[in-house]
Amino acid sequence: RTEDDAGHGGASGSGRRRQAGEKPFSEGDLLTGPASEHVPTLRLAQLGWLSHPFSVDRYLDQTACRSKLVVARILGGAAYWSYGLEQFSIRLRAAGVPFAALPGDDKPDEELFGYSTVPHADWDALLGYCVEGGPENAANLLRLTSHMLGRGARPPAARPLLRAGLY
Protein backbone atom coordinates (compact mmCIF):
# COMPACT_ATOMS: atom_id res chain seq x y z
CA ARG A 1 0.00 0.00 0.00
CA THR A 2 1.18 3.45 -0.74
CA GLU A 3 0.30 6.63 1.11
CA ASP A 4 0.37 9.96 -0.70
CA ASP A 5 -0.55 13.42 0.50
CA ALA A 6 -2.20 14.20 -2.80
CA GLY A 7 -4.43 16.93 -1.48
CA HIS A 8 -1.96 19.61 -2.48
CA GLY A 9 -1.74 20.59 -6.15
CA GLY A 10 -1.62 18.41 -9.23
CA ALA A 11 -4.39 17.21 -11.44
CA SER A 12 -7.50 15.88 -9.83
CA GLY A 13 -8.00 12.94 -12.14
CA SER A 14 -11.20 14.60 -13.31
CA GLY A 15 -10.07 14.62 -16.91
CA ARG A 16 -9.20 18.31 -16.97
CA ARG A 17 -6.09 19.39 -18.86
CA ARG A 18 -3.00 20.33 -16.93
CA GLN A 19 -2.15 23.99 -17.11
CA ALA A 20 1.26 25.19 -18.27
CA GLY A 21 3.74 24.51 -15.52
CA GLU A 22 1.35 22.31 -13.48
CA LYS A 23 3.14 18.98 -13.24
CA PRO A 24 2.84 17.11 -9.93
CA PHE A 25 0.38 14.24 -10.04
CA SER A 26 -2.31 13.30 -7.57
CA GLU A 27 -4.23 10.23 -6.52
CA GLY A 28 -6.37 10.59 -9.65
CA ASP A 29 -3.29 10.24 -11.83
CA LEU A 30 -2.24 7.11 -9.94
CA LEU A 31 -5.65 5.45 -10.13
CA THR A 32 -6.50 6.19 -13.77
CA GLY A 33 -4.80 5.76 -17.13
CA PRO A 34 -1.53 3.91 -17.64
CA ALA A 35 -0.58 4.06 -13.96
CA SER A 36 -3.65 2.08 -12.88
CA GLU A 37 -2.37 -1.02 -14.69
CA HIS A 38 0.39 -1.32 -12.08
CA VAL A 39 -1.72 -1.04 -8.93
CA PRO A 40 -2.28 -4.38 -7.22
CA THR A 41 -3.46 -2.79 -3.94
CA LEU A 42 -3.25 0.92 -3.28
CA ARG A 43 -4.60 3.03 -0.44
CA LEU A 44 -4.31 6.81 -0.56
CA ALA A 45 -4.83 9.19 2.33
CA GLN A 46 -4.44 12.92 2.70
CA LEU A 47 -2.25 13.99 5.59
CA GLY A 48 -5.04 16.36 6.62
CA TRP A 49 -6.95 13.24 7.68
CA LEU A 50 -4.09 12.47 10.07
CA SER A 51 -3.69 15.81 11.80
CA HIS A 52 -4.55 14.68 15.33
CA PRO A 53 -2.21 12.30 17.21
CA PHE A 54 -5.11 9.88 17.84
CA SER A 55 -5.84 9.65 14.10
CA VAL A 56 -2.14 9.03 13.39
CA ASP A 57 -1.93 6.27 15.99
CA ARG A 58 -5.15 4.66 14.82
CA TYR A 59 -4.09 4.77 11.16
CA LEU A 60 -0.76 3.20 12.04
CA ASP A 61 -2.49 0.43 14.01
CA GLN A 62 -5.22 -0.31 11.50
CA THR A 63 -3.51 0.31 8.16
CA ALA A 64 0.08 1.50 7.81
CA CYS A 65 1.79 -1.11 10.01
CA ARG A 66 0.00 -3.83 8.00
CA SER A 67 1.20 -2.38 4.69
CA LYS A 68 4.03 -3.59 2.52
CA LEU A 69 5.30 -0.05 1.73
CA VAL A 70 4.31 3.47 2.78
CA VAL A 71 5.10 6.59 0.75
CA ALA A 72 4.10 9.97 2.19
CA ARG A 73 4.45 13.34 0.45
CA ILE A 74 4.70 16.08 3.04
CA LEU A 75 4.08 19.61 1.85
CA GLY A 76 5.77 21.99 4.27
CA GLY A 77 8.51 19.66 5.46
CA ALA A 78 8.97 17.85 8.76
CA ALA A 79 7.58 20.71 10.84
CA TYR A 80 4.20 20.37 9.08
CA TRP A 81 3.61 16.83 10.34
CA SER A 82 6.16 16.26 13.11
CA TYR A 83 4.18 13.83 15.29
CA GLY A 84 3.08 11.80 12.27
CA LEU A 85 6.58 11.59 10.84
CA GLU A 86 8.11 10.60 14.14
CA GLN A 87 5.50 7.89 14.79
CA PHE A 88 5.45 6.60 11.20
CA SER A 89 9.23 6.33 11.19
CA ILE A 90 9.47 4.58 14.56
CA ARG A 91 6.51 2.24 14.18
CA LEU A 92 6.98 1.33 10.53
CA ARG A 93 10.67 0.62 11.16
CA ALA A 94 9.67 -1.66 14.07
CA ALA A 95 7.08 -3.40 11.87
CA GLY A 96 9.59 -3.88 9.03
CA VAL A 97 7.54 -1.73 6.63
CA PRO A 98 9.64 0.37 4.23
CA PHE A 99 8.79 4.07 4.57
CA ALA A 100 9.57 6.98 2.24
CA ALA A 101 8.85 10.49 3.52
CA LEU A 102 9.02 12.74 0.46
CA PRO A 103 8.76 16.51 0.22
CA GLY A 104 5.62 17.86 -1.40
CA ASP A 105 7.65 20.21 -3.61
CA ASP A 106 10.58 19.72 -5.97
CA LYS A 107 13.35 20.29 -3.40
CA PRO A 108 15.07 17.22 -1.91
CA ASP A 109 14.80 17.36 1.89
CA GLU A 110 17.44 15.45 3.84
CA GLU A 111 15.47 15.88 7.07
CA LEU A 112 12.55 13.98 5.53
CA PHE A 113 14.94 11.36 4.20
CA GLY A 114 16.17 10.91 7.76
CA TYR A 115 12.70 9.69 8.75
CA SER A 116 12.62 7.29 5.81
CA THR A 117 13.75 3.68 5.89
CA VAL A 118 14.14 3.13 2.14
CA PRO A 119 17.55 3.37 0.42
CA HIS A 120 18.52 6.83 -0.81
CA ALA A 121 18.47 5.68 -4.46
CA ASP A 122 14.82 4.57 -4.13
CA TRP A 123 13.90 7.76 -2.24
CA ASP A 124 15.50 9.89 -4.98
CA ALA A 125 13.72 7.93 -7.71
CA LEU A 126 10.31 8.21 -5.99
CA LEU A 127 10.81 11.95 -5.58
CA GLY A 128 11.88 12.28 -9.22
CA TYR A 129 8.66 10.67 -10.46
CA CYS A 130 6.59 12.94 -8.22
CA VAL A 131 8.43 16.09 -9.27
CA GLU A 132 8.30 15.40 -13.00
CA GLY A 133 4.69 14.21 -12.98
CA GLY A 134 2.69 12.97 -15.94
CA PRO A 135 1.12 9.59 -16.71
CA GLU A 136 4.36 7.81 -17.66
CA ASN A 137 6.13 8.91 -14.48
CA ALA A 138 3.08 7.98 -12.38
CA ALA A 139 3.14 4.50 -13.92
CA ASN A 140 6.88 4.21 -13.31
CA LEU A 141 6.45 5.31 -9.69
CA LEU A 142 4.10 2.37 -9.21
CA ARG A 143 6.48 0.06 -11.08
CA LEU A 144 9.26 1.19 -8.75
CA THR A 145 7.16 0.47 -5.67
CA SER A 146 6.53 -3.03 -7.06
CA HIS A 147 10.25 -3.44 -7.70
CA MET A 148 11.00 -2.29 -4.14
CA LEU A 149 8.73 -5.10 -2.96
CA GLY A 150 10.60 -7.68 -5.04
CA ARG A 151 8.29 -7.74 -8.06
CA GLY A 152 9.38 -6.72 -11.52
CA ALA A 153 12.34 -4.88 -12.94
CA ARG A 154 13.44 -1.45 -11.83
CA PRO A 155 11.85 1.13 -14.17
CA PRO A 156 13.85 3.84 -15.93
CA ALA A 157 14.52 7.15 -14.18
CA ALA A 158 11.85 9.84 -14.23
CA ARG A 159 11.37 11.41 -17.63
CA PRO A 160 11.33 15.20 -17.50
CA LEU A 161 8.32 16.90 -19.00
CA LEU A 162 8.43 20.17 -20.85
CA ARG A 163 8.44 23.12 -18.44
CA ALA A 164 5.73 24.86 -20.44
CA GLY A 165 2.89 23.69 -22.65
CA LEU A 166 -0.38 21.82 -22.47
CA TYR A 167 -0.36 18.27 -21.15
Side-chain angles (χ1 to χ4, degrees):
R1 296 175 192 202
T2 307
E3 300 305 323
D4 179 19
D5 180 22
H8 304 286
S12 66
S14 62
R16 72 174 177 85
R17 289 181 168 257
R18 292 182 188 273
Q19 300 300 311
E22 179 185 5
K23 298 185 336 178
F25 51 79
S26 70
E27 71 270 14
D29 295 316
L30 291 174
L31 296 174
T32 62
S36 64
E37 299 168 15
H38 310 285
V39 182
T41 303
L42 183 66
R43 178 173 302 232
L44 303 165
Q46 293 186 17
L47 290 184
W49 299 344
L50 304 173
S51 59
H52 190 277
F54 176 77
S55 62
V56 169
D57 294 340
R58 185 171 180 188
Y59 193 79
L60 280 162
D61 291 340
Q62 295 182 351
T63 304
C65 287
R66 297 177 183 179
S67 299
K68 294 180 182 171
L69 171 68
V70 175
V71 177
R73 289 201 72 199
I74 300 147
L75 186 63
Y80 174 76
W81 197 51
S82 58
Y83 179 81
L85 272 172
E86 186 177 289
Q87 292 304 307
F88 266 61
S89 182
I90 291 168
R91 296 200 35 212
L92 292 174
R93 187 180 312 267
V97 177
F99 175 51
L102 304 174
D105 58 18
D106 64 346
K107 310 282 188 279
D109 184 330
E110 287 301 316
E111 183 178 11
L112 289 177
F113 175 72
Y115 287 99
S116 302
T117 64
V118 299
H120 214 297
D122 290 340
W123 189 88
D124 285 335
L126 290 166
L127 179 59
Y129 295 129
C130 293
V131 167
E132 294 303 333
E136 182 180 341
N137 287 322
N140 281 335
L141 180 141
L142 295 173
R143 286 184 188 107
L144 177 61
T145 60
S146 289
H147 172 75
M148 291 168 68
L149 297 171
R151 297 188 299 260
R154 186 176 187 90
R159 188 172 139 231
L161 296 179
L162 294 174
R163 296 289 176 206
L166 297 175
Y167 300 100

